[in-house]
Amino acid sequence: MDPAHLLALDARHVWHPYGPMPGQVEPLLVTEASGVRLRLADGRELVDGMSSWWAAIHGYRHPVLDAALAEQAGRMSHVMFGGLTHEPAIRLATKLVELTPPGLEHVFLCDSGSVSVEVAVKMCLQYWQSLGRKGKRRMLTWRGGYHGDTFHPMSVCDPDGGMHSLWRGVLPEQVFVPEPPGGFGAPVDQSYVDLLARVIEEYADELAGVIVEPVVQGAGGMRFHNPEYLRVLRELTEAHDVLLVFDEIATGFGRTGTLFAAEHAGVTPDVLCLGKALTGGYLSMAAALCTPEVADGISRGELPVLAHGPTFMANPLTSAIANASIDLLLSQDWQASVRRIETGLRAGLARAADLPAVADVRVLGAIGVIQLDHEVDLAVATKVVTECGVWLRPFRDLIYAMPPFVCTDAEVRSITEAMTAAARTA
Ligand SMILES: *Cc1c(COP(=O)(O)O)cnc(C)c1O
């Protein structure tokens, strides 16, 4: 079909993320992707600064991942997971247990990040229910977070940015504390620690769990915080009989410079969510891992099972790709790649801080952020960055990049130049 016709059908029938129907802004038509480049129907090529929403860490059409997919498709693409099991899922679960912080031993594989957060919350609520502490059914989180778009995850997203007001009376009412003080290297603010202690103590009888994104708050505002707050949360939750959930869907698999962001704090949560880069951006999969204590608690309840079972749970194709993606990551000096990208982002964005409309520039691992003092004009920004040969998708007041780890220095430079150009005009 010719591109104009495809785009007309797209506008008429196809819903896009966070968009109206029919669509108002024409999306770019992609025909192929390889390495870190997206090829458009009009022949242009764009360096992808987004890793397809932070997932495609190895770039596109990686020969190792392509081969893993073809190999698994030659055996079986899918079988149900109730009553059946298979090597790709067993290997994946075992690998995740080995790689994640010590103490997480059990793995629930599911289809998307939001679903893994649903499962994590269900684990927390059911744990306390099983122990007869039925009042403990709320979650506490700090503001500025993002945990997905289904209902329970929405209830722990930032209450102002997350469209909560639309859902008053529908979403469970969770307990919010202010967002953590900004800055990975900023000194610990004792008054914030005291506040966390006060609120967790006050609500302890109602709280099933605390859920946070460790170190980096992603889609809620691309903010970084001192990992020490995670140690504080670990101590407080243990002291007050509250479970701790880390949502590492965005930070997992190297993005912040450690394999998992929890490692910056040396902390093991009771439940851990993974997604996005888990499959190198090829297919949708997520995981909720938990400790034996959580699993034992659930199994002692009236209903001794975790009542959750997606149709495509542990899909073999997806599991095989996840295994190949993780093995590929670990087979190389990925820390050096992330450090190299971090250096390139810092150097490339250094001068952006002096631009008139720029409120802040921050970099951590393979994450670079320019925060403006106003909302980005998305149409203008998209035009400017694509003219620089780069794909970025700013939101709110944020122009940011999360490049694939295989970006060369020159490609990182193109990305930072495009970000700076957008900050100047959008
Ligand atoms: C993207 C994201 C989610 C939601 O994952 P989906 O696969 O889009 O459902 C949840 N939590 C965090 C931290 C995320 O970045």
Side-chain angles (χ1 to χ4, degrees), residues 54 112-114 146-148 213 247 249-250 276:
W54 327 344
S112 75
S114 301
Y146 177 80
H147 297 283
E213 294 158 277
D247 177 350
I249 291 167
K276 291 201 163 94

Side-chain angles (χ1 to χ4, degrees), residues 71-277:
E71 201 273 339
Q72 184 57 41
R75 291 168 192 275
M76 62 180 165
S77 292
H78 186 62
V79 291
M80 65 186 280
F81 211 51
L84 302 176
T85 194
H86 47 79
E87 183 170 342
I90 297 166
R91 283 184 42 217
L92 176 59
T94 308
K95 206 186 303 283
L96 293 177
V97 166
E98 282 167 6
L99 293 175
T100 52
L104 297 161
E105 302 256 335
H106 308 301
V107 184
F108 190 99
L109 297 170
C110 52
D111 330 51
S112 75
S114 301
V115 175
S116 76
V117 173
E118 297 280 8
V119 170
V121 172
K122 191 182 271 190
M123 283 174 171
C124 293
L125 268 59
Q126 202 173 329
Y127 174 80
W128 293 112
Q129 170 120 5
S130 297
L131 298 190
R133 301 190 56 183
K134 301 199 171 160
K136 288 167 79 65
R137 45 201 279 186
R138 295 176 82 187
M139 301 297 290
L140 179 146
T141 188
W142 46 40
R143 287 172 178 263
Y146 177 80
H147 297 283
D149 292 336
T150 58
F151 278 86
H152 248 97
M154 269 204 293
S155 76
V156 285
C157 288
D158 184 74
D160 299 322
M163 296 180 281
H164 274 227
S165 55
L166 197 58
W167 299 113
R168 191 158 298 128
V170 177
L171 293 182
E173 286 188 17
Q174 312 294 17
V175 180
F176 290 94
V177 293
E179 53 197 25
F184 179 79
V188 173
D189 177 345
Q190 189 57 40
S191 66
Y192 186 74
V193 171
D194 295 344
L195 174 97
L196 289 175
R198 234 177 10 254
V199 179
I200 291 174
E201 186 178 356
E202 184 186 340
Y203 287 93
D205 289 341
E206 295 176 46
L207 288 180
V210 169
I211 181 168
V212 296
E213 294 158 277
V215 179
V216 177
Q217 294 183 288
M222 309 302 293
R223 297 172 80 256
F224 312 146
H225 55 259
N226 188 321
E228 183 61 24
Y229 296 120
L230 305 169
R231 264 195 292 272
V232 167
L233 285 179
R234 181 66 286 182
E235 279 169 25
L236 290 170
T237 49
E238 258 166 20
H240 294 286
D241 281 354
V242 176
L243 296 175
L244 180 61
V245 182
F246 283 172
D247 177 350
E248 293 232 25
I249 291 167
T251 51
F253 305 101
R255 184 56 66 182
T256 69
T258 51
L259 197 56
F260 299 99
E263 293 168 28
H264 290 291
V267 160
T268 300
D270 300 293
V271 182
L272 177 73
C273 294
L274 301 173
K276 291 201 163 94

